[in-house]
Amino acid sequence: MDFLTDDEPVFIRPRSGAVASGIDFKKALNEEQFAVVTADADAPPPLLVLAGAGSGKTRTLTYRVAYLLSRGVRPGEILLLTFTNKAAREMLHRVNELTGEEPGRFWGGTFHSIGCRALRMFGDAIGVPKNFTVLDADDAEGVLKRAVEGCDKLFFKDKRHPKPGPLHGILSLARNTRLPLDEVVERFFPQHREIAGKLAEFDREYGRRRREQNVLDFDDLLELWLRLVREAPDVGDYFRRRFRHILVDEYQDTNALQSQLIDEIGTHQRIMVVGDDAQCIYSWRGADFENIMSFPKRHPGTRIHRIETNYRSTPQILALANGVLGAQPRGRHFDKELKAAREGAQKPFLVGTFDGTEQARFVAARAAALHEEEGLAWSDIAVLYRAHYQSLDVQLELSRAGIPYQITSGVRFFERQHVRDVVATLRFISNTGDEAAWLRIAMLLPGVGEKGAEKTYRAAREHADLLRVNMVDALVSDDVKSKVPKDAKAEWEGFCASLREVGAAMGRASPAEAVRLAIEGWYGDYMKGQYADYIERLEELKALAGFAARFTDIREMLAQIVLLSGETGERQVDAPPDA
């Protein structure tokens, strides 16, 4: 097999090494960074760099690449793996500014992009034709949908079953964590226990169709790359010889599949992984902080470096952070002590509150005091929250206090799709003349489009007017059911029963009870199939029920939601003129 390809640089331009050699690394870096950057470049042991938050990790990696170049390492002998292509581009752009070396001469990018490149070059060694195409998320879900229907044509007819998107997420998580499907379902998707036994067949058929069509999904790019280096010895040896240095950014966020890839191609021990065991936040995509914890055991002779000087936070905040880190069980974290480069400021304090409402009121009052009494600009004040549902109370209190704010990420609470669905349900039951609300909830049914929803609405309206009955009750009449699209007929009775139950609660109970019944009824089953993050969304709807508990009348609650949606619906909310 010929391993020399046209895109592999054979010669290094003399000027780049000269430029890199001219860098004063000692002057440009602090002592911790310098020790990492200049760690033996000729035959280094495995290096684990524990880089605390705000410690200049990207700067350290950039200068490490520059240092390797200054020691005669060729760009094509360096593999730089990051979690986003943007991060790789920015890092290699900085290297270019330092050394003059063009980014295209390195192997740098995400795990998936490097895997794709490897398979294009050598995939035929394991039967992967070089002309494969890569499926985007929508196309992958389409192939999976047809595969599942080939095994069980009625599977997606049951609204409790995951739709193609969430189902793909389940299969993907199993592939990335290298865990059995039934274990993945039990640990992460308990709402789908009843279908766990079917998933292996679906996965096999999905794989067969991808092979038949010569297409790969994103997970294939990693799985097949790993299989390539394991099953094609010549190719595996090529990668191990080719990359004299492997640098991995954000190593704490790797999953089992990515970790195994690094272990396979890094057996020559020239690996530098950079991360922080205290910053593993991507567990939803299978990240496992055990990868960083067990790295020294998997790579004997590992030398651990710590970059602990923090340029972002004050000494008081870092003292609190060090206290939290130090309280972790022994053996479950690496010892580290963050040190501040900034001057001292106010000591953090903990405020206990009775509930989320009181907490939000405190936040609003504190922000007002900082602005009015201490002279801080509104833009100098930030509010962080852990989950979407916690933003509801904060947005409401800031709006009521006339405090301008800007939402910098995520979707506003009242704009979340599942929140809007439940609110539309309440709106329609409260006012059956609200056709817009009806269209939103009716179109959640399988096979119901806008025209079908309009047709059933007109039929129900006419039947209710003719017989002088409530429109919700009219929905179950034969006249209306005859207008229901075929695909929705099986769910129609349950859908209507849920609407009637919520309607009855409105008449006898609190708005909070009506919201609870809306969540537990037909829509609750719909969510199980529609969303992979069903449990998180359910928590947000419970927050909506908590909001509803403030009211005794459902119409007042709905009116307030509209008003508050207007106030909080813009990412930039200005203060009123007299504020």
Side-chain angles (χ1 to χ4, degrees):
M1 183 178 293
D2 182 7
F3 291 114
L4 185 61
T5 64
D6 293 338
D7 67 342
E8 294 177 37
V10 177
F11 302 105
I12 186 169
R13 292 171 294 177
R15 71 177 183 87
S16 61
V19 172
S21 298
I23 298 173
D24 188 340
F25 292 96
K26 187 75 171 178
K27 184 177 180 180
L29 304 163
N30 67 31
E31 291 185 9
E32 297 164 338
Q33 295 167 342
F34 181 76
V36 172
V37 165
T38 59
D40 192 343
D42 299 321
L47 299 171
L48 170 59
V49 181
L50 300 173
S55 62
K57 170 177 61 66
T58 300
R59 181 179 184 83
T60 303
L61 277 171
T62 300
Y63 275 84
R64 173 66 174 176
V65 174
Y67 181 77
L68 293 176
L69 295 177
S70 75
R71 300 284 295 180
V73 178
R74 297 187 302 176
E77 297 172 326
I78 300 173
L79 173 61
L80 176 61
L81 288 166
T82 62
F83 272 84
T84 67
N85 281 310
K86 180 181 177 182
R89 286 194 300 269
E90 289 179 352
M91 203 171 296
L92 293 177
H93 175 70
R94 294 190 192 185
V95 172
N96 175 251
E97 291 181 331
L98 275 175
T99 68
E101 195 62 61
E102 293 296 330
R105 294 170 62 82
F106 297 88
W107 278 58
T110 64
F111 281 85
H112 294 91
S113 65
I114 299 299
C116 185
R117 185 173 179 179
L119 291 169
R120 289 277 185 226
M121 292 172 63
F122 304 122
D124 52 1
I126 56 170
V128 178
K130 294 186 178 182
N131 66 334
F132 65 81
T133 55
V134 181
L135 300 169
D136 63 22
D138 289 341
D139 289 337
E141 290 170 16
V143 175
L144 176 60
K145 180 177 183 295
R146 292 185 287 276
V148 171
E149 290 174 338
C151 299
D152 181 352
K153 64 181 181 180
L154 298 179
F155 181 82
F156 291 122
K157 298 293 184 182
D158 190 326
K159 67 179 179 299
R160 297 169 299 177
H161 292 169
K163 298 294 189 293
L167 179 59
H168 190 276
I170 296 173
L171 302 182
S172 177
L173 188 60
R175 295 167 72 183
N176 280 280
T177 58
R178 318 295 277 175
L179 293 173
L181 272 165
D182 55 353
E183 184 176 342
V184 168
V185 171
E186 186 63 32
R187 286 175 58 180
F188 302 103
F189 306 96
Q191 70 270 26
H192 295 311
R193 288 190 185 102
E194 72 280 0
I195 63 161
K198 298 183 177 183
L199 298 184
E201 180 187 6
F202 295 163
D203 194 35
R204 285 193 297 271
E205 179 62 15
Y206 176 48
R208 187 192 69 77
R209 291 183 182 235
R210 296 198 310 279
R211 291 189 296 273
E212 182 182 74
Q213 299 170 29
N214 190 27
V215 296
L216 307 182
D217 65 11
F218 264 48
D219 297 326
D220 285 323
L221 299 177
L222 301 187
E223 283 191 314
L224 294 175
W225 182 18
L226 179 60
R227 182 181 158 204
L228 178 65
V229 298
R230 283 178 170 175
E231 297 183 11
D234 290 345
V235 178
D237 288 343
Y238 165 80
F239 280 114
R240 296 181 191 101
R241 293 195 311 270
R242 169 65 187 263
F243 299 122
R244 289 175 58 189
H245 294 273
I246 300 173
L247 300 111
V248 187
D249 193 16
E250 304 290 5
Y251 187 72
Q252 78 279 351
D253 290 331
T254 56
N255 56 40
L257 182 52
Q258 293 161 332
S259 177
Q260 289 173 23
L261 271 165
I262 295 303
D263 291 350
E264 284 289 338
I265 62 176
T267 53
H268 54 45
Q269 304 301 295
R270 291 170 181 166
I271 311 173
M272 174 185 283
V273 299
V274 183
D276 183 359
D277 56 294
Q279 295 186 62
C280 183
I281 61 175
Y282 287 112
S283 59
W284 54 270
R285 69 180 177 199
D288 187 353
F289 90 110
E290 290 291 351
N291 292 338
I292 194 170
M293 296 302 300
S294 63
F295 185 85
K297 184 176 181 180
R298 300 197 320 276
H299 296 272
T302 291
R303 186 179 302 161
I304 298 178
H305 288 262
R306 289 172 171 80
I307 307 178
E308 298 172 316
T309 301
N310 179 289
Y311 294 91
R312 183 181 303 159
S313 302
T314 63
Q316 292 80 4
I317 290 175
L318 294 181
L320 174 61
N322 286 330
V324 172
L325 295 175
Q328 302 302 305
R330 295 199 64 81
R332 300 300 296 162
H333 68 102
F334 289 105
D335 292 333
K336 63 181 77 70
E337 184 175 356
L338 303 176
K339 296 169 288 188
R342 292 181 57 180
E343 295 182 357
Q346 185 179 39
K347 184 177 181 179
F349 54 92
L350 174 66
V351 178
T353 59
F354 180 72
D355 57 17
T357 302
E358 185 180 351
Q359 176 178 259
R361 287 174 182 162
F362 172 81
V363 168
R366 179 62 180 151
L370 289 170
H371 176 67
E372 296 165 6
E373 299 173 14
E374 301 186 29
L376 269 67
W378 292 122
S379 58
D380 290 334
I381 303 170
V383 179
L384 305 179
Y385 44 81
R386 182 177 56 82
H388 278 300
Y389 71 87
Q390 294 175 316
S391 72
L392 173 58
D393 286 330
V394 175
Q395 291 182 55
L396 298 182
E397 290 302 327
L398 293 177
S399 295
R400 288 187 180 123
I403 297 175
Y405 62 89
Q406 181 178 7
I407 301 171
T408 59
S409 64
V411 179
R412 287 82 66 197
F413 183 85
F414 288 121
E415 292 301 310
R416 298 278 283 168
Q417 185 168 332
H418 49 296
V419 175
R420 295 184 66 186
D421 290 343
V422 171
V423 170
T425 301
L426 301 173
R427 281 171 48 197
F428 173 70
I429 298 171
S430 174
N431 172 21
T432 55
D434 189 342
E435 186 173 0
W438 166 258
L439 292 178
R440 182 175 186 91
I441 60 175
M443 289 169 62
L444 299 175
L445 289 159
V448 178
E450 186 172 352
K451 289 184 178 179
E454 289 174 345
K455 187 182 295 185
T456 54
Y457 180 83
R458 287 195 300 269
R461 180 85 276 163
E462 291 171 2
H463 188 85
D465 290 344
L466 179 64
L467 299 182
R468 298 182 182 280
V469 297
N470 183 285
M471 188 169 167
V472 175
D473 294 328
L475 290 171
V476 296
S477 68
D478 291 339
D479 287 346
V480 176
K481 285 193 286 188
S482 66
K483 303 296 191 299
V484 176
K486 180 179 64 175
D487 290 344
K489 287 186 183 297
E491 296 188 25
W492 187 254
E493 291 288 344
F495 174 75
C496 293
S498 183
L499 294 180
R500 289 199 303 273
E501 186 176 23
V502 175
M506 284 185 182
R508 71 172 188 272
S510 68
E513 178 69 5
V515 172
R516 185 185 67 79
L517 290 172
I519 297 170
E520 294 178 355
W522 179 90
Y523 188 75
D525 287 338
Y526 167 83
M527 277 210 311
K528 288 180 182 178
Q530 186 69 17
Y531 301 114
D533 57 346
Y534 159 77
I535 294 175
E536 289 81 2
R537 290 177 187 258
L538 185 60
E539 286 300 313
E540 293 176 15
L541 291 180
K542 290 178 181 177
L544 179 63
F547 172 76
R550 303 177 184 184
F551 302 89
T552 57
D553 182 86
I554 195 72
R555 293 174 182 84
E556 180 188 355
M557 171 197 158
L558 294 172
Q560 285 299 310
I561 287 177
V562 173
L563 294 172
L564 293 168
S565 293
E567 293 174 1
T568 64
E570 299 294 332
R571 288 190 176 273
Q572 179 76 44
V573 180
D574 297 323
D578 59 347

